[in-house]
Amino acid sequence: MPLAEANFFGIVVAIQQKAGGNLSEALGNLSRVLRERKKMKAKIQAMSMEAKASATIIGSLPIAVGLLVYLTSPDYISLLWTTDLGRIMIAACAMWMSIGVFVMKQMINFDF
């Protein structure tokens, strides 16, 4: 079975078979270790969900602010897509935002 818990169980039984000793104590220790691993996995997942929510807010904030500025005063922000310098600035900002989102995604993803 390609499961870490099943592998642990097999190792514990094999060691107990060769070394002898109290099997119930070894299985109790194994169950405690597996419960602690499960708690740690849940804790890591909860912390990463908090970071993902923060990253989503940070990533969508420039778009939301741009939309609100466009809705309140369209002449003020229209320079960004009517002039060459504005288009270059939008492209540069989109590139940097993409890089930032990629970096945040790499920082948030945990292998456990």
Side-chain angles (χ1 to χ4, degrees):
M1 218 180 239
L3 216 63
E5 289 83 4
N7 192 20
F8 289 157
F9 178 72
I11 291 170
V12 166
V13 170
I15 290 173
Q16 285 299 105
Q17 182 183 10
K18 291 184 181 181
N22 191 355
L23 181 61
S24 65
E25 183 181 338
L27 292 177
N29 290 338
L30 176 63
S31 69
R32 189 177 64 249
V33 167
L34 293 177
R35 283 188 192 104
E36 291 298 321
R37 282 175 49 103
K38 188 174 181 179
K39 282 183 195 176
M40 185 61 72
K41 185 176 181 179
K43 188 174 183 179
I44 289 170
Q45 196 169 14
M47 291 177 74
S48 69
M49 288 306 292
E50 180 183 349
K52 287 177 185 177
S54 297
T56 302
I57 291 169
I58 290 170
S60 63
L61 198 59
I63 296 168
V65 170
L67 182 64
L68 288 174
V69 170
Y70 177 73
L71 290 175
T72 57
S73 55
D75 294 336
Y76 182 73
I77 202 166
S78 67
L79 292 174
L80 285 176
W81 50 82
T82 58
T83 63
D84 289 336
L85 181 60
R87 286 188 216 113
I88 291 170
M89 289 172 65
I90 287 177
C93 289
M95 180 188 71
W96 282 110
M97 281 298 295
S98 299
I99 291 171
V101 168
F102 176 75
V103 167
M104 283 191 288
K105 186 175 180 177
Q106 294 300 316
M107 289 173 64
I108 293 169
N109 287 337
F110 297 109
D111 292 330
F112 50 86

